[in-house]
Amino acid sequence: MTALLVKNIGILQTPVGSFSHKGKAQGENQKRKDAAIVIENGLIREITDGGKLPQGAENADRVIDAGGRLVTPGLVDGHTHMVFGGYRQHEIPMKLKGAGYLDILRAGGGILDTVRKTRAASFEELYTKTRGFLDEMLSFGVTACEAKSGYGLEAETEIKMLQVLKKLNEEHPMDVVSTFMGAHAIPDEYKEDPDAFIDMLCEDVMPAVREQNLAEFADVFTEDSVFNCEQSRRYLERAKALGFGLKIHADEIEAIGGSVLAGEMGAVSCEHLISIDEKGLEALAEGGVTAMCLPATSFYLGADFAPARKMIEMGIPVAAASDFNPGSCPSLNLQFVMNLACIKYRMLPEEVLTAVTINPACAIDRGDCIGTLEEGKQADLVIWNAEDMEMLCYRFGSNLVKQVIKKGEYIA
Ligand code: IZC
Ligand code: ZN
């Protein structure tokens, strides 16, 4: 048994509990001064504060001196599309000339461009590229993430993407939780008959993904010009019957009823929500659905920002994630997401920490083992080049990570 002692922590700041935090509780963090943590077998054995050291600390095999810095739980990125072929930097001039996100998709570009490149990429190419992204995420303080398929839109490539994620979850220090997102766009082959595409996903691809245990969640892009509510409901009902947890991309551009559907169907989270209306907000609150807000996407699209402040006031648990993808958010920097959550959503630093730790952890069904620093939980933590959370929400554009510790192992 080897023990690691992290001592001389200026402030240890963490939400408490294994459930998602909403309303006033979103802003409740525990702050322990002059703290220390003993980690054993990858788990937190004991936390102390007030300059006191945990029992047996003197026998620790390794000691890290945090130098009076801030320590938080490892960040959790609850929404990414990180497996993809190619990039879409060529869209930049189109956008600057006025083409919108959906204009590019309707013209056969956007997601469909990435689909062509992902279908053409080998397993090894995708594996190596995604591994690089995971390394970069860890360096920014992210220790667990969600990742979606959805650039195959047919069985072979969807499964290839999910197998890449499965292998990376096994081989990389990052915890990776997979979501099947076959209903991400209508492929050219089904342009004239999107209902038949949904049938094919429900009858062929989804059961195969389930059988091979390649994803825990299913997600759909419910949006004007993509999937309507009726198609989304049919897809999600099949997913629910097969045992997937549900997620819905809703109200990113237009509120066509996706967030209402998320509430009705008991989705674990609902994504984007830039254009959510009153009915949608009520449905999320009643259904206990986590709002997975993606402020870096709003930034990159030059769009409005989701009404996160109102969501908190209405008792909806709010999470903030990167949405890392080659189209609408080519950044995986969750620290920038935290800055935006503070400045654009007007969330307080404590609320922001909850939004990037325990709330997304619960939205990927890992609330019992990650997302807070408590005895018995996995020892995923970040030592920051900052003295408090305010500093983390205030400095932007730099990487403020000093050290990342994942399952008790010193990583970066
Ligand atoms: O590749 O454009 N919004 N899906 C829904 C995306 C963004 C990813 C992409
Ligand atoms: Zn997304």
Side-chain angles (χ1 to χ4, degrees), residues 126-137:
L126 293 175
Y127 176 86
T128 305
K129 183 171 172 182
T130 311
R131 195 180 173 94
F133 293 146
L134 292 178
D135 290 344
E136 197 181 336
M137 285 167 84

Side-chain angles (χ1 to χ4, degrees), residues 79-81 148 181 184 219 221 249 252 271-272 294 297 323-325 328:
H79 180 137
T80 79
H81 306 252
K148 303 172 198 296
M181 198 175 175
H184 191 194
D219 197 343
F221 193 7
H249 279 59
E252 176 177 356
E271 334 288 298
H272 285 295
L294 310 169
T297 303
D323 192 24
F324 176 51
N325 76 77
S328 59

Side-chain angles (χ1 to χ4, degrees), residues 84-243:
F84 54 86
Y87 285 94
R88 305 217 299 261
Q89 73 274 37
H90 62 274
E91 288 177 1
I92 284 202
M94 293 187 226
K95 286 172 147 186
L96 294 177
K97 288 176 192 154
Y101 178 81
L102 289 179
D103 298 326
I104 297 171
L105 180 60
R106 284 189 206 105
I111 296 174
L112 294 176
D113 183 50
T114 302
V115 166
R116 287 185 283 275
K117 292 168 181 160
T118 309
R119 286 179 180 177
S122 69
F123 178 94
E124 287 68 29
E125 278 163 356
L126 293 175
Y127 176 86
T128 305
K129 183 171 172 182
T130 311
R131 195 180 173 94
F133 293 146
L134 292 178
D135 290 344
E136 197 181 336
M137 285 167 84
L138 263 180
S139 77
F140 279 105
V142 174
T143 51
C145 68
E146 185 262 13
K148 303 172 198 296
S149 71
Y151 293 124
L153 313 182
E154 33 85 329
E156 190 187 331
T157 311
E158 289 293 313
I159 286 173
K160 177 173 71 181
M161 292 178 74
L162 292 168
Q163 280 171 337
V164 164
L165 292 168
K166 181 170 188 234
K167 190 157 186 239
L168 285 166
N169 183 44
E170 288 161 6
E171 294 179 358
H172 195 276
M174 183 81 72
D175 288 322
V176 183
V177 174
S178 297
T179 297
F180 170 65
M181 198 175 175
H184 191 194
I186 303 159
D188 287 339
E189 313 86 89
Y190 285 90
K191 218 157 118 188
E192 306 307 322
D193 195 357
D195 286 314
F197 177 58
I198 294 286
D199 291 342
M200 187 278 290
L201 292 176
C202 290
E203 284 158 29
D204 299 341
V205 193
M206 219 191 272
V209 169
R210 195 65 194 159
E211 203 168 295
Q212 295 177 53
N213 206 10
L214 286 172
E216 293 176 45
F217 295 93
D219 197 343
V220 51
F221 193 7
T222 306
E223 186 62 62
D224 177 44
S225 309
V226 195
F227 298 102
N228 63 33
C229 279
E230 191 274 318
Q231 290 159 341
S232 304
R233 184 189 289 276
R234 205 146 52 80
Y235 171 88
L236 293 170
E237 271 171 1
R238 180 76 174 127
K240 197 171 187 174
L242 286 169

Side-chain angles (χ1 to χ4, degrees), residues 75 136-142 332-335 384 399 401:
L75 307 181
E136 197 181 336
M137 285 167 84
L138 263 180
S139 77
F140 279 105
V142 174
L332 47 67
N333 181 350
L334 205 57
Q335 291 176 51
W384 296 98
N399 182 359
V401 165

Side-chain angles (χ1 to χ4, degrees), residues 363-398:
I364 56 170
D365 198 24
R366 296 293 185 279
D368 55 347
C369 52
I370 60 172
T372 68
L373 295 178
E374 291 176 273
E375 284 153 21
K377 276 204 174 181
Q378 203 164 289
D380 293 2
L381 50 104
V382 182
I383 304 173
W384 296 98
N385 274 322
E387 62 202 40
D388 51 30
M389 267 304 296
E390 282 79 0
M391 181 65 90
L392 224 55
C393 289
Y394 153 84
R395 293 284 315 281
F396 77 95
S398 300

Side-chain angles (χ1 to χ4, degrees), residues 27-48:
E28 285 166 5
N29 294 172
Q30 186 181 70
K31 297 175 198 178
R32 300 175 73 164
K33 289 204 173 122
D34 299 321
I37 306 179
V38 167
I39 296 162
E40 234 169 51
N41 299 325
L43 302 178
I44 298 172
R45 198 194 69 199
E46 196 181 342
I47 303 175
T48 53

